[in-house]
């Protein structure tokens, strides 16, 4: 069974926590150690960012991390090589998050094969048009048992959400707001209404809520309204500040109690 599906099947009552970081930041060679540290500290799933020069859905924190990673020499080929080295040590699901351009340059079939070879269970491609996903990417990904995760936002129509739910597997990435990534202090009533509206749809796929989670209020709100929460910018900031995954996690867990 794909590790993503197994995670949600085995933890139907547990509120999951997934973290994002950008491969190659703060150091080129640190990717594997960051992932292994997250696993050791109890993180449920890891999103590994593929650095790109024009990350249109990302805020300044993740843009800066991508710039650093590219300057450090991180490439998709290098990332897959690093992930293969730790494949046997990692049991939690790994999901690559990156934009279509570098993946297309690498080659869709080659990308899916490399994911399998390096222990990756899924991919999030924010700028992948859904029709291209259905017609081109999904048939190839299905052959490799790779989950392509789709995003929904407060502005996504119910019809489209149900269509995405019907034609995807793994989980749905529920973006908390129709904005770029970045930490927020709280989720206002408008976002709470959005969470309640999606809950009432009783979708087939589990959902993870991301964008803006950085403290106890936003974490609890996300975990109460979905299978779990995804934290990106807050952890990326702490990792850059400390240079240590363990120290960054210490500070993150402290922040999530406040």
């Amino acid at each position: 069974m794909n590790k993503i599906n197994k995670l949600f099947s085995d933890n139907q009552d547990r509120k999951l926590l997934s973290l994002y970081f950008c491969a190659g930041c703060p150091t080129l060679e640190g990717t594997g150690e960051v992932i292994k540290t997250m696993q050791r500290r109890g993180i449920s799933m890891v999103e590994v960012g593929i650095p790109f020069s024009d990350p249109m859905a990302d805020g300044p924190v993740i843009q800066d991390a991508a710039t650093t990673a590219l300057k450090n020499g991180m490439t998709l080929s290098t990332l897959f090589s690093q992930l293969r080295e730790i494949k046997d040590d990692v049991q939690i699901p790994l999901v690559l998050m990156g934009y279509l351009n570098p993946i297309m340059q690498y080659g869709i079939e080659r990308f899916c094969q490399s994911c399998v070879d390096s222990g990756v269970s899924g991919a999030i491609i924010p700028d992948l048009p859904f029709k291209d996903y259905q017609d081109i990417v999904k048939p190839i990904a299905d052959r490799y048992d790779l989950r392509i995760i789709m995003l929904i936002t407060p502005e996504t129509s119910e019809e489209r959400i149900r269509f995405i739910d019907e034609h995807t597997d793994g989980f749905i990435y529920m973006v908390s707001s129709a904005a770029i990534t970045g930490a927020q202090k709280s989720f206002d009533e408008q976002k709470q209404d959005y969470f309640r509206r999606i809950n009432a749809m009783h979708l087939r796929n589990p959902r993870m809520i991301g964008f803006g989670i950085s403290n106890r209020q936003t974490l609890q709100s996300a975990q109460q309204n979905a299978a779990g929460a995804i934290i990106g910018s807050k952890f990326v900031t702490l990792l850059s500040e400390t240079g240590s995954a363990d120290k960054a996690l210490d500070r993150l867990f402290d922040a999530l109690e406040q």
Side-chain angles (χ1 to χ4, degrees):
M1 179 187 287
N2 181 284
K3 287 183 180 180
I4 295 172
N5 297 89
K6 189 173 190 307
L7 174 69
F8 290 101
S9 175
D10 292 349
N11 295 276
Q12 295 184 26
D13 298 322
R14 179 178 164 219
K15 297 306 183 183
L16 304 173
L17 178 60
S18 176
L19 297 186
Y20 166 96
F21 79 106
C22 183
C25 180
T27 67
L28 177 63
E29 300 299 334
T31 302
E33 192 57 39
V34 172
I35 293 170
K36 290 192 288 184
T37 301
M38 286 188 191
Q39 176 175 265
R40 175 170 51 81
R41 298 292 297 272
I43 301 305
S44 310
M45 178 167 58
V46 177
E47 287 182 24
V48 184
I50 303 167
F52 182 50
S53 58
D54 187 24
M56 60 185 176
D58 295 316
V61 169
I62 294 177
Q63 286 185 23
D64 288 348
T67 298
T68 298
L70 291 171
K71 288 179 178 177
N72 286 343
M74 178 55 72
T75 65
L76 197 47
S77 295
T78 299
L79 174 56
F80 280 128
S81 176
Q82 291 179 351
L83 294 178
R84 281 194 295 272
E85 290 179 4
I86 64 168
K87 178 180 178 180
D88 294 339
D89 300 321
V90 178
Q91 286 75 50
I92 59 176
L94 300 182
V95 178
L96 294 188
M97 186 167 187
Y99 292 88
L100 189 57
N101 185 289
I103 295 173
M104 289 292 290
Q105 289 187 17
Y106 191 84
I108 296 295
E109 180 112 25
R110 183 183 173 209
F111 175 80
C112 293
Q113 179 67 67
S114 295
C115 284
V116 172
D117 292 345
S118 56
V120 172
S121 299
I124 301 168
I125 310 172
D127 58 342
L128 173 64
F130 199 81
K131 189 174 190 312
D132 290 347
Y133 158 72
Q134 282 190 290
D135 295 347
I136 301 170
V137 178
K138 186 177 188 300
I140 299 171
D142 285 351
R143 289 205 305 271
Y144 290 92
D145 196 31
L146 187 71
R147 303 291 176 260
I148 305 298
I149 307 303
M150 289 289 167
L151 291 79
I152 64 172
T153 77
E155 297 178 359
T156 308
S157 68
E158 179 174 338
E159 179 183 14
R160 184 169 179 80
I161 291 170
R162 292 200 182 280
F163 191 75
I164 289 171
D165 188 45
E166 181 181 351
H167 292 92
T168 61
D169 190 17
F171 70 95
I172 291 174
Y173 192 130
M174 190 171 163
V175 177
S176 67
S177 61
I180 59 174
T181 57
Q184 301 176 33
K185 292 184 178 179
S186 64
F187 288 145
D188 59 23
E189 187 59 29
Q190 187 176 15
K191 292 184 179 67
Q192 299 290 345
D193 284 342
Y194 161 55
F195 297 161
R196 288 190 287 265
R197 175 168 62 86
I198 303 304
N199 278 334
M201 292 177 67
H202 302 291
L203 300 176
R204 177 178 62 87
N205 280 296
R207 289 162 286 112
M208 295 286 284
I209 295 177
F211 284 44
I213 297 167
S214 63
N215 58 20
R216 185 175 182 177
Q217 195 276 348
T218 49
L219 175 66
Q220 288 184 342
S221 181
Q223 291 183 330
Q224 288 166 2
N225 287 282
I230 299 168
I231 297 177
S233 295
K234 182 70 173 180
F235 180 72
V236 170
T237 296
L238 295 173
L239 186 59
S240 294
E241 289 176 354
T242 63
S244 159
D246 259 320
K247 291 178 181 177
L249 286 166
D250 285 341
R251 289 177 58 183
L252 177 65
F253 293 149
D254 285 344
L256 295 177
E257 289 297 319
Q258 299 175 15

